Amino acid sequence: MQSFHPIWHHNNKGQLYWMDMERVIGAALAGDQQAIAKLYNAYSHKVLGICYNIVGNRAVAEELSHDAFVLAISKLDHLRNPDRFDAWLSSIAANVALRY
């Protein structure tokens, strides 16, 4: 049975819908830029918040959150369980901000 772990995503009309994480992460691994954009759009606010809470500077936090996403996408093949993407990405964001 296929795992279904959805996340909210906004479509181009601002409407929310569920995404199947396993499918989106698989597409991102294959280099699908739309899948990468979906992950970014779904998690960018959370990653920015994590970075901001650690560094306390909005401009720096924006740069660090971008760095965290670049790192996460480049290491996406290390993610063993798509259901853990949220926690995995949060950990990467916190580590990037703490290293700063």
Side-chain angles (χ1 to χ4, degrees):
M1 176 184 269
Q2 183 180 19
S3 168
F4 181 76
H5 181 74
I7 60 172
W8 285 109
H9 177 70
H10 290 86
N11 66 12
N12 59 1
K13 296 179 182 176
Q15 298 167 320
L16 289 172
Y17 63 94
W18 289 105
M19 288 192 303
D20 178 349
M21 286 299 292
E22 189 171 327
R23 181 181 56 79
V24 173
I25 289 172
L29 274 167
D32 182 332
Q33 294 300 306
Q34 287 184 324
I36 293 168
K38 286 178 184 181
L39 292 171
Y40 181 84
N41 291 334
Y43 288 97
S44 61
H45 185 74
K46 179 177 184 170
V47 171
L48 177 61
I50 291 167
C51 292
Y52 180 78
N53 286 337
I54 293 170
V55 299
N57 178 299
R58 173 93 182 182
V60 172
E62 287 174 355
E63 288 187 34
L64 293 174
S65 65
H66 173 76
D67 292 349
F69 266 102
V70 169
L71 181 60
I73 296 305
S74 73
K75 301 290 185 185
L76 199 53
D77 60 329
H78 294 194
L79 177 64
R80 291 190 176 118
N81 182 352
D83 291 342
R84 301 282 304 145
F85 179 78
D86 183 89
W88 181 76
L89 179 60
S90 295
S91 176
I92 290 172
N95 286 329
V96 165
L98 289 168
R99 273 185 272 147
Y100 172 80

